[in-house]
Amino acid sequence: MKIPPVKGMRDFYPPEMSVRNYIMGHWKAVSQRNGFLEYDGPILEYLQLYTLKSGQEIVEQLFSLTDRGGRELAIRPEMTPTLARMVCQRINSLPRPIKWFSVPRLCRAERPQKGRLREFFQWNIDIIGVEDVVADAEIIFCTLDFLQAVGLTAKDIVVRISSRKLLSEALIEIGVPAERLDPVFAILDKRSRLPQEAFEQILSDQIPDQSIRSQVQTLMAISTLDEVALLARSEGACKAIAELRRLFEILHRMGVGQFCRFDIGIVRGLAYYTGIVFEVFDADDQLRAIAGGGRYDNLLAMFDGPNLPATGMGMGDCVLEILLRDKGLIDLQRIQQGLEYYVAYTEPGLMDHAIGLAAWLRRAGRSAGFCYRPVALGKQLKQASDQGCRYCIIIDRQVEAGQVILKDMSTGDQRSVTLDELLRQPG
RNA sequence: GUGAGAGUAGCUCAGUUGGUUAGAGCAUUGGAUUGUGGUUCCAAGGGUCAUGGGUUCGAAUCCCAUCUCUCACCCCA
């Protein structure tokens, strides 16, 4: 009986694994050079960790189970609750600011589709303990640092930035009741994905008043920060605008201003965001969000922790990989890990010399391989190039005199070298 | 969870109004060129035609169910 892979799960054969390692390698390297420390948590958490504080949607998508001790557990669908739990547990001994990153494997039981699977990897970076927008700028910069590192430019991607604080102040000024803000945010988040009429319809469920509704529509049609500034009256709104201006100023100073746009339509579905919010999209707007994040100053308190400001970002591997492939930025030849040396021999009697030399190279820290059965030299060279080896070492009778032939597989050039000279090759 | 489309070799696909033993290209493996690879040539392996049931003398082909995939909705990475 053939057992297929589970719905929405992926097998990583060596070529796919190379791509995954390529992406994750850059995630880690970029995190580290931006000053984030790596952490991880368990793949299983108590179900309660999610049912208590996460949104209803994410709870519906949980893979949950009961263990033999009757504990209700869930496979983690996001990393933030684990982060909050870990930070709260050691809050008194952690040096601040807490600047951590992780690349967890997450599972959500949704229906798989383009860029959306049931098991995926997500790069998370978070800064906890910094109230100033400089932390939000760091998060956005680090996100863009990675995206540029894998070859994307301002022609390929855009970061849309807004502020929940600004939006809630503006909505209250217009006359939306404070207790309606959360459901209205959820609706506004859908604005760009819904037809105008349908949007108007669901909005009227929350805001019956026609004049307030049309003011909301006017607000959402605004495209620059200056236009919002003309409308803003309240102190809170002005502070939120000043904060956004400061953020854009820092991002320009950091050299990534060309990627960033103010977009009042960025709201984000999750309820816990409190200030700056942003999402990264492909410039052609063909795909889902590549990454998203923002400020969640109340989250630790929600997990019975202290009231600490926090900001962070999550980026999944699925949409990113689709975009990188679309843009031709995944060069398998280059990414795939090949051997450095292939040790070949001109006649079967020299095979043992090849085995010895390959092992000698490995002991010296180089990667090397050889053919497991004596075949013609042409075959061995073919195998060497199939495996993507950089050099082929050809052993002939001269090996008795300590000489072998070193052949560069990309140029075809070859010359006679001594064994000592081999190790002086750039590795 | 809702809606639409699809499923033939590892991959991309042919396959006539239902008619003998289901095909190709790529990939894989082996062989040829006798000390030089990315070329060429020869050959082989690989399919319960997604699974189960039905209609029929006869089903890859028609019908039903299930599973899986794709796309959209929901939500989000």
Side-chain angles (χ1 to χ4, degrees), chain A residues 363-425:
Chain A
R363 291 199 306 270
R366 306 303 177 90
S367 67
F370 58 93
C371 188
Y372 290 159
R373 39 184 200 127
V375 295
L377 180 61
K379 282 262 186 241
Q380 297 179 67
L381 285 164
K382 183 166 162 43
Q383 198 172 25
S385 65
D386 286 349
Q387 291 179 7
C389 300
R390 273 173 70 190
Y391 300 102
C392 200
I393 294 166
I394 301 166
I395 295 179
D396 60 9
R397 287 289 163 87
Q398 291 299 306
V399 73
E400 312 288 354
Q403 294 271 317
V404 293
I405 298 162
L406 179 68
K407 181 182 176 77
D408 185 318
M409 295 303 278
S410 54
T411 62
D413 296 342
Q414 60 184 59
R415 65 200 162 90
S416 189
V417 296
T418 66
L419 296 184
D420 286 341
E421 281 176 293
L422 265 186
L423 288 192
R424 267 180 256 130
Q425 278 289 308

Side-chain angles (χ1 to χ4, degrees), chain A residues 222-352:
Chain A
I222 283 175
S223 59
T224 69
L225 210 43
D226 290 338
E227 288 175 68
V228 193
L230 289 175
L231 293 175
R233 293 282 171 275
S234 78
E235 193 190 338
C238 292
K239 266 180 75 179
I241 290 168
E243 199 177 63
L244 274 168
R245 286 200 201 279
R246 174 69 181 142
L247 175 64
F248 280 102
E249 194 182 306
I250 299 171
L251 290 170
H252 273 98
R253 178 59 64 108
M254 291 174 130
V256 291
Q258 73 277 20
F259 288 92
C260 305
R261 306 268 177 286
F262 171 69
D263 183 340
I264 199 165
I266 297 299
V267 184
R268 302 198 46 76
L270 285 171
Y272 56 66
Y273 287 106
T274 55
I276 301 288
V277 283
F278 70 92
E279 290 181 0
V280 184
F281 290 92
D282 62 298
D284 303 328
D285 221 4
Q286 292 298 299
L287 303 170
R288 296 159 192 285
I290 298 157
R295 190 158 276 278
Y296 51 98
D297 286 341
N298 303 330
L299 195 69
L300 292 202
M302 280 167 65
F303 285 96
D304 294 322
N307 209 342
L308 267 186
T311 181
M313 184 282 307
M315 179 187 297
D317 67 323
C318 304
V319 180
L320 176 71
E321 189 181 323
I322 292 168
L323 179 65
L324 292 179
R325 284 188 193 278
D326 283 356
K327 299 286 179 188
L329 291 171
I330 290 186
D331 181 357
L332 260 186
Q333 284 294 318
R334 201 134 157 219
I335 289 172
Q336 230 154 356
Q337 69 286 30
L339 287 170
E340 191 178 3
Y341 295 102
Y342 187 99
V343 186
Y345 39 92
T346 56
E347 49 192 279
L350 295 169
M351 182 173 171
D352 282 356

